[in-house]
Structure formats: C-alpha cells, structure tokens
Amino acid sequence: MRRRTLLAGLTAGLAATGTPALAAGPGTGGRRVLHVRPGDSVQAAVDAVTGPGWTIVVHPGTYREVVTVPAEKEGLTLRGASHDPRATVLVYDNANGTKKPDGTTYGTAGSATFSSAAPGLTVQGLTLANDWLRADHPDITGTQAVAAYVTGDRSRFDGVRFLAHQDTLFADTTALDAFDRQYYNRCHIEGDVDFVFGRARAVFDDCRFHTLRRDVAFTPKGMVFAPATARANPYGFLAVRGRFTSGAEDAAYKLARPWVPSYETTAWPSLVVRDSWIGPGIDPAAPYTNMREAYPWQTMRFREYGNAGPGAVISEPDNRPQLTPAEAAVHTRRTYLGDWRPYDRR
C-alpha cells in the first residue's frame, strides 16, 4: 500500500504553521502542559518548553513538519490526545538523498521526521511517519527515509506507530561509547529494508513488526533488524513477546542482518528475539543474512528463544542459533534496562 494513501485516510492534513496556539491544560496552573491543534506547529511547542518535565498534548490531525527535540528538553512527554495513535500523525518526506536548499543532502539521520536526543523522553499514542517513496524519486539513490531517530537515554515509546519503508526507526546512542537505553511498548513498526536499526540498548516489548509488500524481483526483499551494537555493550536489541507479520509473500524477508558502520568497524551487533510469534513472511530456513561479506552474521550476537509460528520453524539448526535456558534468564527487560524500569509504570 502506498504510504500517502494510507495517511490520507486518517485525518485531514494541514501544514504546520510557525506560530502554534498553545494553552495550558486544566489543573496545571498554567505551567507545564502545552496543547497543539491542527494548524499549529509541534516544533514550536517543543521550542516553547522551558525546563524539564513538560507535557505536550497533540490533538487529532496530521502535522506535516519535521520535529527535533534537543538534549536540553529533558523529561519531555509528547502524547496524542486521542487513545488511537492513528488519529494523530506527524509526517514528512525527506530521504537520505533529498537535497537541502544549500545543495547538500540530508543523510540518513537527517532525513528523520522526528528526532530526539533528550534523556527521559516519553512519546505516547502518536504515529511517526516518513512517507517518502522510491517510486516518486527514481533519480535519488539514497533511499533511506527515517520516521524516527532516537538517541537519548531512557527514551520510552508507548502505543506509537512508526511508518516508513527503508530505515523506519533509527534506535541509536548519543555517542559511540554510550549505552543509551530505549523502551518500546505495544508499538507498531513497519517497513521493508533494515527498518529497525542502530546501536541503542533497546527493548521492544509486545510490539508488532510488519514487513511491507515490495514490488521487486529479487529476494530477500528486506530485513527487519540491522543492529550496530558497540562491542563494549553487552546488550543490543531485545524483542520479547512480539509479533512479526507481513503484507508480502511467504519467506520474502529476513529477520536481521548485522550492520557494521564504516565509522565504527569494531561494532559487534547484538539481537535477541524471544517468546515471539514469527509469521510466514520471515524465511524460516535462513532468517539471517549478511550486509557485507567481511562481517558474516554467524560471528555476531544473534540468538532466539521460545519463538513460535511458521517463520520460527527450525529446519536448519545452524541457521537459527538459540539461547540456552540459563542464557535466556539473562536476556530480559530488567537486565537490558537496569535501574530504569519503565515497564513497571504501564
């Protein structure tokens, strides 16, 4: 399904203006809650935040703008006013190869519709989307188009939809030697190529990962995960109690491939998928593949445990490394997130 069609069916879209109508919420004394409505700018609300612990309530509508939360906006909560994340959509359409006004390109991270480096960020009940399409831009080869780029420690996403195609969710860290933690609870994440990637220590709890139909002749048509975990970090991505669904044909997708960036060739990607249902869209016989032959997936920290479904069938044991029960006892939310326990506040 084409992304623009999908988004257009939600709410009437308005381009955000530079001057939002911001109002304090009831019972707050006019201090710490800002409201954003269609026609207002979410970025202007972020800019208006003057200290830690603010909440921005975004009312139903489609907000076509790029939003950046800088590191000094610590403890910010950004939430949809509706209980349905489909009702409140933040979307834009930059890609890696899209040209800026100065003639340079945005790059992968710079293409993000939503970016945050703020520690203690909470996002609830929103859709974060990048609706850039390859078919509309055959002249652009840098086709990564990020919906969300997240780096701050203790970043939490509850009931958020992440929609794009290639590189949907960039779960990264503030520095090469930082072990920033991220928690995604009951989120929907969809795309086609490497659509959950980066070096964060990230837990995906009860999330749905959905692979899109892609009109290409080759297989695999894409991969869900591309972790780039630092070698010094004992934990990378953990997907627990997840669901892997697909709009593509059976076995068209891989579960993961390792990303060893040119700027961090010592990376040792880590991914654990456990206690999850893996649908037929994932190739059960060979669920992993290489990004570069110099960094074969077999040498990476890829493991599974307790998975079910047609995409989890183990027909070639060497192709599906499993945790032992003792190892599985270590790969938990508590171990990955340490003294930060966002799952106790659901």
Side-chain angles (χ1 to χ4, degrees):
M1 182 180 292
R2 289 175 65 85
R3 175 72 57 233
R4 295 182 198 281
T5 302
L6 175 65
L7 291 175
L10 301 177
T11 56
L14 294 173
T17 65
T19 306
L22 304 176
T28 67
R31 292 173 296 177
R32 305 183 72 83
V33 178
L34 300 174
H35 289 261
V36 180
R37 294 176 172 83
D40 300 340
S41 166
V42 178
Q43 183 64 58
V46 172
D47 295 343
V49 168
T50 56
W54 280 75
T55 295
I56 296 173
V57 179
V58 187
H59 290 257
T62 300
Y63 300 81
R64 180 164 286 277
E65 60 176 316
V66 172
V67 173
T68 300
V69 182
E72 62 267 22
K73 309 290 183 176
E74 183 174 356
L76 177 67
T77 294
L78 187 68
R79 65 177 177 86
S82 168
H83 292 297
D84 185 354
R86 295 173 296 179
T88 308
V89 179
L90 179 62
V91 59
Y92 210 72
D93 61 349
N94 285 328
N96 178 337
T98 301
K99 286 190 176 181
K100 300 179 184 179
D102 65 4
T104 63
T105 56
Y106 283 96
T108 298
S111 73
T113 298
F114 177 84
S115 299
S116 175
L121 172 78
T122 297
V123 180
Q124 299 171 325
L126 296 174
T127 291
L128 305 177
N130 189 320
D131 62 356
W132 187 91
L133 292 172
R134 301 179 185 97
D136 293 345
H137 305 276
D139 55 314
I140 294 180
T141 56
T143 58
Q144 300 88 348
V146 177
Y149 174 49
V150 185
T151 60
D153 188 36
R154 295 175 289 107
S155 294
R156 174 184 174 182
F157 295 82
D158 290 317
V160 175
R161 299 167 77 232
F162 299 88
L163 310 181
H165 286 262
Q166 183 171 352
D167 291 11
T168 303
L169 173 58
F170 196 169
D172 212 37
T173 62
T174 51
L176 294 179
D177 59 353
F179 299 163
D180 297 322
R181 297 160 295 176
Q182 301 175 13
Y183 180 66
Y184 300 83
N185 178 47
R186 300 192 308 273
C187 292
H188 173 104
I189 311 166
E190 67 176 51
D192 51 35
V193 178
D194 302 336
F195 62 92
V196 182
F197 72 113
R199 64 172 177 265
R201 184 183 294 188
V203 173
F204 300 89
D205 190 356
D206 193 17
C207 291
R208 180 187 180 191
F209 305 90
H210 185 69
T211 57
L212 297 171
R213 177 171 293 279
R214 189 176 177 199
D215 295 328
V216 293
F218 54 80
T219 56
K221 297 191 174 181
M223 308 82 193
V224 178
F225 296 102
T229 321
R231 182 169 293 272
N233 193 343
Y235 308 112
F237 290 168
L238 171 65
V240 58
R241 292 183 292 275
R243 291 180 300 134
F244 292 78
T245 62
S246 182
E249 57 270 36
D250 290 357
Y253 277 83
K254 301 294 188 182
L255 196 59
R257 65 178 179 175
W259 178 33
V260 179
S262 59
Y263 55 80
E264 192 182 10
T265 57
T266 61
W268 192 19
S270 174
L271 167 70
V272 170
V273 178
R274 60 172 300 172
D275 306 313
S276 295
W277 185 85
I278 303 177
I282 300 299
D283 180 1
Y288 305 105
T289 189
N290 299 335
M291 185 176 293
R292 298 182 182 90
E293 294 304 315
Y295 305 104
W297 73 263
Q298 293 89 343
T299 65
M300 304 300 168
R301 294 176 285 177
F302 286 2
R303 296 292 186 271
E304 298 178 54
Y305 184 78
N307 296 319
V313 173
I314 303 173
S315 58
E316 299 287 342
D318 288 345
N319 289 344
R320 305 204 77 140
Q322 304 289 307
L323 295 173
T324 66
E327 291 170 335
V330 176
H331 289 274
T332 65
R333 300 177 304 184
R334 178 170 294 189
T335 303
Y336 277 55
L337 302 179
D339 60 356
W340 179 50
R341 297 183 182 178
Y343 45 84
D344 289 339
R345 296 181 282 115
R346 289 185 295 181

